[in-house]
């Protein structure tokens, strides 16, 4: 899988970025300062999480 940086990452040194890699069945997320820690989720699970974040359902956490 090829890692891609978020277009919102503005750190010129590239050390404070969210990176994403995906294939047909799963999505992987990592933070560039800790590339050894990877969150792996199915596409449906990630879509549900993003929907909850965008919908404000996790604002109280």
């Amino acid at each position: 899988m090829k890692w891609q940086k978020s277009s919102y990452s503005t750190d010129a040194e590239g050390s404070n970025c969210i990176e994403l890699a995906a294939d047909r069945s799963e999505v992987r997320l990592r933070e560039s300062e800790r590339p050894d820690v990877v969150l792996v989720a199915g596409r449906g699970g990630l879509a549900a999480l993003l929907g909850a974040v965008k919908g404000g359902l996790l604002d109280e956490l």
Side-chain angles (χ1 to χ4, degrees):
M1 285 188 209
K2 181 179 177 183
W3 290 97
Q4 296 179 329
K5 258 192 239 182
S6 168
S7 62
Y8 290 99
S9 297
T10 58
D11 184 1
E13 296 177 17
S15 62
N16 192 19
C17 306
I18 297 296
E19 299 174 322
L20 175 110
D23 65 15
R24 296 183 85 183
S25 63
E26 65 183 24
V27 178
R28 296 175 186 226
L29 298 167
R30 69 181 182 186
E31 202 271 318
S32 58
E33 288 184 336
R34 300 281 312 271
D36 56 318
V37 178
V38 178
L39 171 68
V40 180
R43 289 180 172 267
L46 182 60
L49 174 63
L50 292 175
V53 170
K54 289 178 180 180
L57 298 174
L58 304 174
D59 289 352
E60 299 298 320
L61 296 178

